Amino acid sequence: MATALREWVDKQISVITCDGRNIVGQLRGFDQVTNIILDESHERVFSADAGVEQVVLGLYIIRGDNIAVIGELDADLDAKTDLSAVRADPLKPVVHS
């Protein structure tokens, strides 16, 4: 997976972590075990009662073993989305049996 990240360097990505967090930011770097460095990042906290809260994180490192899903974000579509109107239950953590 680490080699597939090369095409996303300096692009906006979204990461869903194994504990259910959704973190968005500019991919600045990664290593062979998929540890990633995000710049200008923020966490999107979803709620069934209120809109999406965005918590500013700034420069942020995510360990590769904590990444569940990673993908490029469509900046145009993201800019058009009114996150204050989005209602959703928070994601549950990944559970290994």
Side-chain angles (χ1 to χ4, degrees):
M1 182 205 279
T3 54
L5 293 175
R6 280 192 195 122
E7 64 188 61
W8 292 339
V9 171
D10 295 326
K11 293 186 179 174
Q12 190 88 348
I13 64 166
S14 178
V15 178
I16 298 175
T17 62
C18 291
D19 59 355
R21 297 171 67 198
N22 183 349
I23 301 171
V24 175
Q26 296 275 340
L27 179 63
R28 294 297 182 209
F30 61 93
D31 65 11
Q32 67 275 12
V33 291
T34 321
N35 296 317
I36 62 171
I37 301 169
L38 296 178
D39 196 11
E40 301 174 20
S41 65
H42 58 274
E43 178 180 358
R44 292 183 175 170
V45 181
F46 290 85
S47 168
D49 303 323
V52 177
E53 178 186 356
Q54 298 199 70
V55 179
V56 176
L57 301 172
L59 187 64
Y60 202 73
I61 298 172
I62 303 174
R63 285 179 48 122
D65 62 355
N66 193 33
I67 296 173
V69 179
I70 186 169
E72 186 177 3
L73 200 64
D74 183 332
D76 294 332
L77 183 60
D78 190 52
K80 293 177 188 175
T81 304
D82 179 12
L83 294 175
S84 65
V86 174
R87 305 287 189 265
D89 289 325
L91 293 175
K92 293 185 174 26
V94 173
V95 178
H96 300 282
S97 314

